[in-house]
Amino acid sequence: MYDLHIALMNSPGHRANILMPDLEVVGIGIQTGTYSYDSGTYFSVMVTQNFAMTGGQTTPDIVEESNSAPGNSNARQDTTGVLVGTSNAENIVGTAQDDTITGSGGNDILSGGAGNDTAVYMSDMSNYGLTISNGTIIIEDRSGGDGTDTLNSIENLDFDGTSFALSKFTNVSTLTDADMLAFCELYVAYFNRAPDATGLLFWGSALADGMSMNQIARQFFDQPETQALYGGSSGTGDFVTAVYSNILGRSPDAAGFDYWTGVLDSGAVDRAEFILAMIDGAKAATGSASDAQYLETKAEIGAYYAVVNGLNNVSVANTAMQTFDGTIASVVSAKDIIDDHAAHVDTAQGSEFTISVTGLVDDALDWI
């Protein structure tokens, strides 16, 4: 029924009749059956809506809703609501049910209220940009069809049949600047690239929800990308050298190399823990200021790519990070790569889904 109603609302003539305020009563007919045509016979559904206004008395048919299903039935009460807007700007407020809300164009405010609510969009996901700001979501259709909407209490998005669990990303805005930058350090340490925004904000929201850095680090270490970067089956010495190169931008000093290879070979610390320990060691008061600055700069490049600009192209994320070699000139080059890609995404339809956050590390790379 939802698809049928959307089809009627997408027809200018039907939409005008449905929304005509002077009409008072409606008659709805639905018939299913086989429909024969030149090319064959099809099972079909036919729907008609007839609208009228009258000065006489009417006796409408009322369907009573049962509050409970028979004991031997698997049926359950329908707890979903369907709300469809027009091409104009509107404020559409959901119910206490699990609502499906379609703005249908215009710069709308869609508020789900209680329940598990879904906002529906008609274009491909790659046309849209999301901005998270203190729990409020702004979604822009770069193709222009759906306008720019403000979302409140919406848990899910549907992009032309592609689902996106929005509720798994929104809590990232509750992190502090320091937490977000530290999380970017974790990301670049394990993958040696700028984060993709969707991945970073998903795991950042998990961190905000109570998952520990250690738990997330272990999830990262098991990823094929991390195993390929650090050589899943490489010797201990090669592994330690690779971690030093990625996180600190240098070869290990002799004392550090001997200490960590010994610790790893003894089993006192496993490889996933070692990468996290290297991050903590670089930032410790006893660590090297240059090591700490190198790691922080990589994290800022990552934050600028994923948090500020909301970009998801992994190839560009890798190119931007590999451009950095510790010099100011390389930071400028990395930022230029990110800015050029962000400008392209902002103007090109169907280029890349973006999801950014305001109020977190907004000052990343502002010194460039």
Side-chain angles (χ1 to χ4, degrees):
M1 288 303 299
Y2 173 75
D3 290 338
L4 292 170
H5 186 66
I6 289 296
L8 290 170
M9 291 297 288
N10 285 338
S11 167
H14 289 97
R15 180 195 292 270
N17 291 336
I18 291 170
L19 299 177
M20 189 176 295
D22 295 334
L23 300 179
E24 300 170 327
V25 292
V26 59
I28 299 175
I30 302 175
Q31 180 66 50
T32 61
T34 56
Y35 177 72
S36 297
Y37 192 64
D38 291 343
S39 57
T41 300
Y42 308 92
F43 179 79
S44 307
V45 56
M46 306 292 286
V47 177
T48 182
Q49 293 177 314
N50 297 301
F51 301 89
M53 59 185 299
T54 178
Q57 297 294 316
T58 61
T59 305
D61 295 327
I62 300 175
V63 179
E64 297 291 344
E65 183 177 63
S66 173
N67 289 325
S68 61
N72 61 351
S73 172
N74 290 326
R76 65 178 179 86
Q77 182 178 347
D78 185 9
T79 59
T80 61
V82 177
L83 299 90
V84 181
T86 71
S87 59
N88 299 317
E90 295 161 310
N91 186 354
I92 303 178
V93 180
T95 69
Q97 301 173 325
D98 298 341
D99 298 312
T100 300
I101 306 175
T102 304
S104 300
N107 298 334
D108 303 314
I109 300 174
L110 309 182
S111 301
N116 188 32
D117 306 304
T118 301
V120 177
Y121 291 93
M122 298 305 177
S123 294
D124 187 82
M125 188 174 179
S126 59
N127 281 322
Y128 295 86
L130 279 172
T131 302
I132 301 173
S133 179
N134 294 322
T136 297
I137 310 298
I138 305 296
I139 179 168
E140 176 190 5
D141 180 3
R142 288 188 289 265
S143 70
D146 283 320
T148 299
D149 293 348
T150 300
L151 308 182
N152 300 306
S153 299
I154 298 291
E155 287 76 28
N156 306 288
L157 302 175
D158 183 298
F159 298 103
D160 191 27
T162 299
S163 299
F164 183 82
L166 183 59
S167 60
K168 295 183 178 180
F169 298 83
T170 51
N171 282 352
V172 71
S173 62
T174 65
L175 296 177
T176 66
D177 275 17
D179 287 338
M180 193 72 249
L181 198 59
F183 194 62
C184 287
E185 290 173 346
L186 184 75
Y187 219 100
V188 299
Y190 280 78
F191 301 122
N192 194 27
R193 61 168 169 82
D196 56 293
T198 301
L200 180 73
L201 302 186
F202 171 85
W203 288 107
S205 193
L207 181 68
D209 288 338
M211 196 171 186
S212 71
M213 290 281 271
N214 191 274
Q215 289 173 315
I216 296 173
R218 290 192 173 279
Q219 294 281 340
F220 282 8
F221 187 74
D222 290 336
Q223 298 302 310
E225 193 174 358
T226 307
Q227 292 298 306
L229 175 64
Y230 289 118
S233 60
S234 65
T236 304
D238 291 338
F239 174 69
V240 170
T241 299
V243 173
Y244 264 83
S245 176
N246 177 27
I247 296 178
L248 306 181
R250 63 177 177 85
S251 298
D253 54 280
F257 180 84
D258 291 342
Y259 172 76
W260 283 116
T261 52
V263 168
L264 286 165
D265 284 338
S266 71
V269 172
D270 64 22
R271 293 190 175 194
E273 292 173 315
F274 168 59
I275 297 176
L276 191 57
M278 285 291 295
I279 297 172
D280 293 337
K283 299 178 346 182
T286 55
S288 163
S290 60
D291 285 347
Q293 185 60 60
Y294 183 88
L295 178 59
E296 181 178 340
T297 302
K298 291 189 77 170
E300 281 202 43
I301 293 171
Y304 187 72
Y305 187 84
V307 183
V308 176
N309 287 286
L311 300 169
N312 278 296
N313 187 300
V314 173
S315 177
V316 178
N318 186 65
T319 299
M321 191 61 69
Q322 300 313 311
T323 300
F324 175 64
D325 62 10
T327 64
I328 296 295
S330 69
V331 180
V332 173
S333 296
K335 186 174 184 293
D336 287 344
I337 290 171
I338 296 170
D339 287 342
D340 288 347
H341 184 62
H344 167 74
V345 168
D346 191 49
T347 57
Q349 293 185 26
S351 57
E352 181 179 328
F353 172 70
T354 61
I355 175 169
S356 60
V357 183
T358 63
L360 284 179
V361 292
D362 290 338
D363 59 351
L365 300 187
D366 64 350
W367 44 278
I368 294 298

